[in-house]
Amino acid sequence: MSYEDIETFTSHASSMINRASGNISVIQSLLWEIKVRYMDEPNKDLVSKTNNYIDNFSFWFPFVKDLKVRNLMIPKSVIIDCPEEVAMSFFLEKEGDGQRIDRWVQDYVVPVIKEHFPSGEVFIKNGCFSDKYVFGKACHVKDALDVKQLISHIFRIQSDSFCVDSYGNLEMVVREYIPAVPGTPTIYHGMPLRPEIRVFYDFDYHQSLYAVNYWQWEECHDYICSHPEDAMVYQMEYPKLNQRTADLLIRHMESICRTMDSVEGLTGIWSVDFILEDDRIWLIDMTQGHRSTYWDKEKIVRMFPNRYA
């Protein structure tokens, strides 16, 4: 929205609210008119930006899905196109938007789950966003064959994604759910608090730059501990989790490096996320390095001054 549009929007909004004279129902109606009049184009632009976005799952997954490395696991994943008219429907701006979402889920998402994930327990996300902070209400679907439950989770992911401008809305990914060891503590409404690492890797030079514990105290503590029930779990478990992650990273370092070295065709610096288990590693996510939490350009320059300074 340009500066002129903002001035017009403000003037129009003030005029309409003055006309409402305190009547709440009239105010709601007028605000809806303002929303439709001024927000349709930005919404459309936001959706269009998600197409062919380099961080989309559909971009990077083909580079890694067939890797054969000892102890490496690639979760079974299926990508489903979400047409622009369906993606726009998650704004619920027009009559019939809800029915359009329902039909798309019934006609395209449910058949994929029935064919590839018959147990019904899956992990879902859009091209760039999983809404993991509400894990059990969004990306982890315990019974995706329950269509009501599935639609609720998809709607949560897509609508929250638009709120944070994450992009990725023109595709949905259904992935096998990776179960945790029984007894693993959870946060974020059911997300297993288990060893995970993020590796920063330069595919131009086939060079591992650095790796971090995904649950690093300095980064995660304040947010996790803003939720009292999660704070107790995180503070109690972190020392053991941190040590366990360090031990498993040493154990699996060779497999992690071989995984990255085996990728062909990707360029630039990417962050790559792994779940670490006793006898295997799971490659679960990737994004461009500079867009990733734990990105540290100064650290990279200090480590490789001749290459990145």
Side-chain angles (χ1 to χ4, degrees), residues 80 102 104-125 136 138-154 157 172-177:
I80 303 166
D102 289 356
W104 171 70
V105 172
Q106 292 269 17
D107 293 346
Y108 294 96
V109 183
V110 171
V112 164
I113 292 169
K114 287 182 175 178
E115 178 181 354
H116 297 281
F117 309 98
S119 75
E121 185 172 21
V122 294
F123 179 97
I124 62 172
K125 58 177 287 185
C139 50
H140 180 208
V141 190
K142 292 183 178 179
D143 183 8
L145 298 176
D146 177 344
V147 179
K148 239 184 224 187
Q149 182 182 155
L150 178 61
I151 291 173
S152 172
H153 285 238
I154 290 175
I157 290 169
M172 288 298 299
V173 179
V174 183
R175 192 187 82 188
E176 70 173 290
Y177 180 70

Side-chain angles (χ1 to χ4, degrees), residues 27-44:
I27 290 175
Q28 289 174 331
S29 175
L30 295 177
L31 288 176
W32 181 261
E33 180 184 335
I34 292 170
K35 182 176 187 291
V36 170
R37 182 175 299 190
Y38 290 98
M39 298 302 181
D40 273 356
E41 286 309 312
N43 287 354
K44 291 175 183 175

Side-chain angles (χ1 to χ4, degrees), residues 62-119:
F63 292 100
V64 302
K65 68 183 182 68
D66 296 321
L67 292 178
K68 305 296 183 187
V69 177
R70 186 172 65 89
N71 298 334
L72 172 68
M73 304 293 291
I74 305 291
K76 182 179 182 179
S77 305
V78 180
I79 303 166
I80 303 166
D81 289 336
C82 182
E84 186 166 332
E85 64 269 24
V86 176
M88 287 294 298
S89 294
F90 287 97
F91 288 105
L92 294 181
E93 291 181 332
K94 299 182 177 70
E95 186 176 351
D97 279 346
Q99 291 85 345
R100 187 176 296 107
I101 294 168
D102 289 356
R103 285 196 303 271
W104 171 70
V105 172
Q106 292 269 17
D107 293 346
Y108 294 96
V109 183
V110 171
V112 164
I113 292 169
K114 287 182 175 178
E115 178 181 354
H116 297 281
F117 309 98
S119 75

